[in-house]
Amino acid sequence: MFADRAKIYVRSGKGGDGHVSFRREKYVPDGGPDGGDGGDGGSVYFVVDKGMNTLTDFRHIRKYCAEHGQEGGKRNCRGKNGEDKIIKVPEGTVIKEANSGKVIVDMSGDTTEFMILKGGKGGNGNQHYATSTMQAPKYAQPGQPAQELELFLELKVIADVGLVGYPNVGKSTFLSRVTNARPEIANYHFTTINPHLGVVDLPDAKGFVIADIPGLIEGAAEGVGLGHQFLRHIERTRVIIHIVDAASTEGRDPIEDIYAINKELEKYNPEIAKRPQVIAANKMDAVIAEEPEAIDIDENGELIYGETVTDPLTRIKNEFEPQGYAVFPISAVSGTGLKELLYHVQKILDETEAEPIIFEQEYFPEMEMPLSNEPFTVEYDEEEDEYIVEGPRIEKMLGYTNLESEKGFQFFQKFMKENGILDQLEELGISEGDTVRMYGLQFDYYKS
């Protein structure tokens, strides 16, 4: 079974505790503190693996934890850092916070690696707390706690072109004819369980990636059948090929089918319905020309015929070409009309914006982590000519925040402002270009 959704639990590593110990040597009976710092906890990263194409692995393993940092040791020995947890996912995986459903990261485009949880910082050993009045501190700092999240993973297929249409209209046959993909083909509703990808290579033209989006039914936008699971895969496509059974081999009206599927696309995501769409009138080889029926006899004994029956292709063209849709008669079985259709689609791709559709971040883990109301201090060190910001609340904020990311740094700035730290620095007389130090990190101060 193809898996395009999964729910998992992730946890970063706790920082190792600082150590309390004192130097004890033969000729140094009253040595000073030598407790080492704890190691940093491991962080949790998502990494794109281009060799993966499903989320099946996450159905068997649902818990992913980075290692904790080790406790510091004697003789100023620092604890070992915890090992990071690397989680590999297919390109196109959208990672959401489980409770809110908000996007944390879209593993597409330039985003091939993302740190979702930062490991806790290791605590300081007691060597850091020796002062002129407290030469034998029996206190060491505990490591910062781990962070945890429940996540939803959704795989949204990345393709230039998506095939839509009712089950059994010939999408799988079409894909196998025009690409190197070999989808399973059979006469069952919902035969295609997973979206198959294939590459179309055209002489004297750029190739493009095409995806067979599984068959839809009315009510798909409300989740009827497998609707939502299927519709999410078309969100990234730039052009839609709407394949319809022009021969009505299953007794359905092709015009009604087109309207029904487009209605589902509109209800699911109006932006999708606005994308360029080409109608492929398939199974033209099975269309039987219908003769007008005799309905009466005139006074001379001649048969009187009813109106000439309009062939299905003309009906489809008359209905949709005035609405701006190009209609191509094809036979996926024999290959008739495929070349003209594909070159037309390539022309549309050349004329449309090639920028990939990336889902923007809506949830920022570092901003959601609870920060304590513990105190902090803002002081000026004349000897070092720098401003020092310290305190448990500051340490926890830095431990949660990935300052290497743009959003993480924005959160850091917001924290500084909302907690009054910037105001206190201003009161102390800070100027642009002055240095601010926070637990080993140094920043140049500039007004925003």
Side-chain angles (χ1 to χ4, degrees), residues 167-200:
N168 298 328
V169 295
K171 297 192 308 298
S172 296
T173 304
F174 176 87
L175 190 72
S176 65
R177 167 70 72 165
V178 302
T179 74
N180 56 356
R182 292 294 176 264
E184 180 183 347
I185 301 171
N187 187 30
Y188 302 111
H189 290 282
F190 290 107
T191 295
T192 307
I193 297 300
N194 57 303
H196 289 284
L197 293 177
V199 178
V200 175

Side-chain angles (χ1 to χ4, degrees), residues 246-422:
S248 300
T249 57
E250 294 199 348
R252 292 195 312 271
D253 179 16
I255 291 177
E256 291 180 1
D257 281 3
I258 294 171
Y259 279 121
I261 296 298
N262 283 345
K263 182 180 178 182
E264 295 305 314
L265 296 178
E266 171 74 25
K267 286 195 293 186
Y268 179 73
N269 185 339
E271 290 302 313
I272 296 176
K274 295 177 184 177
R275 290 179 197 157
Q277 184 175 139
V278 179
I279 296 173
N282 192 27
K283 303 188 182 181
M284 290 303 298
D285 54 323
V287 172
I288 300 173
E290 295 187 43
E291 296 292 335
E293 294 183 2
I295 60 174
D296 204 348
I297 300 176
D298 62 17
E299 62 275 11
N300 298 320
E302 300 289 334
L303 292 175
I304 299 175
Y305 293 91
E307 294 183 4
T308 301
V309 177
T310 304
D311 70 276
L313 176 62
T314 301
R315 287 183 62 233
I316 295 170
K317 285 188 172 186
N318 289 344
E319 182 71 25
F320 293 102
E321 284 186 342
Q323 300 180 40
Y325 296 96
V327 179
F328 287 83
I330 68 166
S331 169
V333 172
S334 68
T336 304
L338 298 183
K339 180 179 177 181
E340 294 79 5
L341 170 64
L342 295 176
Y343 272 102
H344 180 77
V345 169
Q346 180 61 67
K347 183 174 181 291
I348 295 176
L349 289 171
D350 289 340
E351 295 172 351
T352 57
E353 181 61 49
E355 185 176 340
I357 297 168
I358 305 295
F359 295 91
E360 295 295 327
Q361 187 171 7
E362 302 169 325
Y363 185 95
F364 303 90
E366 59 266 32
M367 298 185 185
E368 302 293 334
M369 296 302 171
L371 292 172
S372 68
N373 291 320
E374 296 171 289
F376 61 87
T377 58
V378 182
E379 300 174 342
Y380 175 64
D381 186 333
E382 292 187 10
E383 186 176 333
E384 297 293 335
D385 188 25
E386 61 185 15
Y387 294 82
I388 301 171
V389 182
E390 291 183 333
R393 197 187 320 181
I394 307 302
E395 277 194 289
K396 288 183 180 179
M397 179 273 294
L398 292 174
Y400 286 139
T401 308
N402 176 19
L403 295 178
E404 296 179 2
S405 73
E406 180 182 352
K407 296 298 184 182
F409 198 77
Q410 287 178 0
F411 169 68
F412 165 71
Q413 291 177 309
K414 180 181 178 183
F415 174 89
M416 296 277 284
K417 181 177 181 180
E418 291 184 350
N419 284 271
I421 297 171
L422 297 182

Side-chain angles (χ1 to χ4, degrees), residues 39-53:
D40 295 336
S43 299
V44 179
Y45 290 85
F46 280 95
V47 176
V48 168
D49 182 345
K50 292 186 179 291
M52 296 176 66
N53 54 21

Side-chain angles (χ1 to χ4, degrees), residues 21-39:
S21 62
F22 299 91
R23 185 179 172 196
R24 293 290 181 264
E25 297 181 21
K26 188 173 183 180
Y27 300 107
V28 188
D30 296 317
D34 68 351
D37 300 342

Side-chain angles (χ1 to χ4, degrees), residues 83-97:
E83 187 173 337
D84 296 332
K85 172 58 68 173
I86 307 299
I87 305 174
K88 295 181 179 180
V89 293
E91 186 177 14
T93 301
V94 178
I95 300 165
K96 301 179 178 181
E97 196 274 326

Side-chain angles (χ1 to χ4, degrees), residues 72-264:
K74 299 178 180 179
R75 300 182 181 179
N76 301 323
C77 288
R78 188 179 189 278
K80 181 182 176 183
N81 291 340
E83 187 173 337
D84 296 332
K85 172 58 68 173
I86 307 299
I87 305 174
K88 295 181 179 180
V89 293
E91 186 177 14
T93 301
V94 178
I95 300 165
K96 301 179 178 181
E97 196 274 326
N99 293 324
S100 66
K102 292 181 178 179
V103 174
I104 299 177
V105 63
D106 182 350
M107 302 300 291
S108 307
D110 295 332
T111 305
T112 57
E113 181 179 301
F114 183 82
M115 183 174 76
I116 198 160
L117 290 179
K118 184 179 179 182
K121 187 177 182 297
N124 291 330
N126 69 332
Q127 59 173 308
H128 291 276
Y129 300 101
T131 65
S132 58
T133 57
M134 175 65 72
Q135 297 184 6
K138 297 180 180 180
Y139 167 80
Q141 185 186 38
Q144 290 190 332
Q147 304 176 61
E148 59 183 7
L149 276 175
E150 281 200 332
L151 305 173
F152 267 133
L153 311 184
E154 286 190 340
L155 178 58
K156 297 177 186 282
V157 171
I158 297 176
D160 301 302
V161 178
L163 303 182
V164 300
Y166 267 83
N168 298 328
V169 295
K171 297 192 308 298
S172 296
T173 304
F174 176 87
L175 190 72
S176 65
R177 167 70 72 165
V178 302
T179 74
N180 56 356
R182 292 294 176 264
E184 180 183 347
I185 301 171
N187 187 30
Y188 302 111
H189 290 282
F190 290 107
T191 295
T192 307
I193 297 300
N194 57 303
H196 289 284
L197 293 177
V199 178
V200 175
D201 291 316
L202 295 174
D204 305 319
K206 290 186 292 185
F208 56 87
V209 178
I210 192 168
D212 174 11
I213 309 300
L216 299 177
I217 58 174
E218 289 187 75
E222 283 80 34
V224 175
L226 301 179
H228 270 153
Q229 295 184 37
F230 294 162
L231 281 164
R232 73 170 54 91
H233 293 298
I234 205 169
E235 290 187 273
R236 296 192 195 270
T237 57
R238 293 158 52 203
V239 177
I240 296 171
I241 297 178
H242 195 147
I243 297 186
V244 64
D245 178 2
S248 300
T249 57
E250 294 199 348
R252 292 195 312 271
D253 179 16
I255 291 177
E256 291 180 1
D257 281 3
I258 294 171
Y259 279 121
I261 296 298
N262 283 345
K263 182 180 178 182
E264 295 305 314

